Amino acid sequence: MSKTALALLNRPSADTPPHNPGAPDYELVDPQVPHLSVLDLAATRGDGIFEALGVTSGHPHSLDAHLRRFASSAAKLDLPAPDEKAWRSAIGAVIAELGDTTDALIKLVMTRGVEGDPEARPTGWVYGWPGADHAAARTNGIAVITLDRGYRHDVEQTSPWLLAGAKTLSYAVNRAVLREAARRGADDVIFVSSDGFVLEGPTSSVLFRRGNTLLTPGTGLGILDGTTQGDLFDWAQSQGMQTGFEQLTPSDLGRTDALWLVSSGRQAAPIRVFDGLPHEIDHELSAAMNAYLLGRKT
Ligand code: PLP
C-alpha cells in the first residue's frame, strides 16, 4: 500500500469550540480506519468545502493561495472561518508524515460538522497521498469537449446561493461530466454557461495563448480562482509574455493558438482535440510551464 497520512483538526475554526478541549491543534491518525460520523453533514448533504494541492519533494504548491480560497469558500457557505494557524500545522505534519514521496497531493476538507451538534463545530481534516502519474497528459495532451453547465455567466452575482465560485464538497456533477466525456471518447470537459461563454473544467482552469499573450476566461464568471492559473500568469510575465482575461465563446476558443487545462494535481495539460477537432499543441511552452509548476518551492 502506498504511503498516506491523515491529520484530524481539533479546532478547524477559532470561532467555534474545540472537539477535545486542551488537546493539540491536530492529531495524526491511521487513515485506514474510519473517523467520520454517519451524521456528518459532508456525508449526508455534501455540505462543506475543500482544497487539493500538489506537493513536490515536501514543498506544497501555492499554499497561501489555496488557504485564501479555502477561507473565501467558507465565507460563501456561511461556514466559520478556518483557523489558518491550525490548518498550516496540520498540513506541515501530513507532509512530514508522507516523507520523501516525490509527488504527493493533499486535500483539506472542512464540513459543517455533525448534524445536531449543539456547538455547531465544523469537522476538518488533511489527507495526503502519492499523486497519480500525469506525465502522458502533460506531454501528449488531452481530448476535451464542451458541456453546458446550465447557469448564466453572471450567476455568481445574480444568485449567490448557488455557490458558484466556491469549492464545495458537492462535486458529483463534476464527476458526472467526466463520465459523459468518456462516453463521447474524450478525457475532460470545459463547462460553458447557458448563455454561451467558456467557463472552466470540472477540476481545472482554462488557459489559452494568442500570440505572446496567455489568457483565461477571467473571474466573476462563477468559476474558481485557479491557483495554478495565477502562478502561471506570474511566471509568464517573468518570461516576457503578456497575460489577460477574456470572456469568450467555444468557437473563439477553438481559434486560439494553443489551449490548456491547468490544475494543482495534473498541472498544465495541453488540449490536442477540442470538441472533436484537432488543436495544435505548443510543446515548448507546455514543457516550460510544467517544469516551472513542478519546480515551485512555495
Ligand atoms: N476549477 C475547478 C472547478 C476546480 O475544481 C479546480 C481545481 O480543482 C480548478 C478550477 C483549478 O484550481 P487550482 O489550479 O487551484 O487547482
Side-chain angles (χ1 to χ4, degrees):
M1 176 87 200
S2 313
K3 173 105 178 156
T4 60
L6 175 63
L8 300 183
L9 277 283
N10 182 28
R11 193 176 195 178
S13 169
D15 300 338
T16 50
H19 292 273
N20 294 312
D25 278 351
Y26 65 86
E27 185 189 1
L28 281 171
V29 295
D30 181 354
Q32 301 306 320
V33 300
H35 299 282
L36 196 65
S37 162
V38 293
L39 293 181
D40 196 286
L41 288 157
T44 57
R45 298 196 195 273
D47 195 356
I49 56 170
F50 78 103
E51 280 296 321
L53 57 149
V55 179
T56 309
S57 306
H59 298 285
H61 300 154
S62 270
L63 179 55
D64 292 351
H66 280 283
L67 288 172
R68 268 199 303 280
R69 193 170 64 189
F70 199 46
S72 144
S73 296
K76 287 187 165 114
L77 268 74
D78 305 309
L79 282 165
D83 178 355
E84 190 175 321
K85 185 176 143 289
W87 285 92
R88 279 186 191 272
S89 357
I91 291 165
V94 164
I95 292 175
E97 188 72 6
L98 288 172
D100 58 5
T101 309
T102 320
D103 284 314
L105 273 174
I106 54 177
K107 194 178 236 196
L108 330 182
V109 178
M110 188 168 87
T111 85
R112 202 173 295 279
V114 172
E115 193 149 18
D117 175 3
E119 303 193 273
R121 291 164 298 185
T123 309
W125 67 89
V126 179
Y127 177 62
W129 73 103
D133 182 359
H134 294 293
R138 289 177 197 139
T139 310
N140 307 332
I142 53 174
V144 169
I145 53 167
T146 54
L147 290 179
D148 180 13
R149 184 175 247 174
Y151 296 142
R152 286 185 317 272
H153 75 282
D154 56 355
V155 63
E156 196 173 339
Q157 292 76 44
T158 61
S159 321
W161 50 87
L162 293 177
L163 304 178
K167 199 162 168 72
T168 80
L169 290 173
S170 308
Y171 257 44
V173 166
N174 303 46
R175 308 302 289 177
V177 292
L178 292 180
R179 295 193 296 275
E180 181 60 23
R183 278 192 284 274
R184 300 189 195 187
D187 306 305
D188 213 324
V189 167
I190 292 179
F191 284 122
V192 177
S193 66
S194 57
D195 50 350
F197 295 107
V198 172
L199 298 173
E200 62 184 346
T203 60
S204 56
S205 311
V206 176
L207 222 66
F208 53 101
R209 179 178 70 75
R210 212 182 275 120
N212 195 36
T213 308
L214 205 54
L215 297 122
T216 193
T219 52
L221 298 171
I223 63 180
L224 287 191
D225 210 359
T227 64
T228 317
Q229 170 266 313
D231 279 358
L232 279 172
F233 270 25
D234 290 346
W235 172 81
Q237 286 162 16
S238 77
Q239 302 300 300
M241 293 183 79
Q242 315 290 314
T243 57
F245 298 93
E246 183 180 311
Q247 203 172 306
L248 78 178
T249 63
S251 56
D252 293 336
L253 193 64
R255 284 194 293 270
T256 57
D257 296 330
L259 278 172
W260 296 265
L261 287 184
V262 304
S263 57
S264 299
R266 196 171 51 189
Q267 314 296 348
I271 296 179
R272 62 174 173 76
V273 180
F274 177 65
D275 269 344
L277 297 173
H279 203 91
E280 183 105 17
I281 292 187
D282 184 338
H283 287 286
E284 201 182 327
L285 187 55
S286 299
M289 280 179 177
N290 281 309
Y292 156 71
L293 290 170
L294 291 167
R296 284 176 291 175
K297 298 281 187 244
T298 57

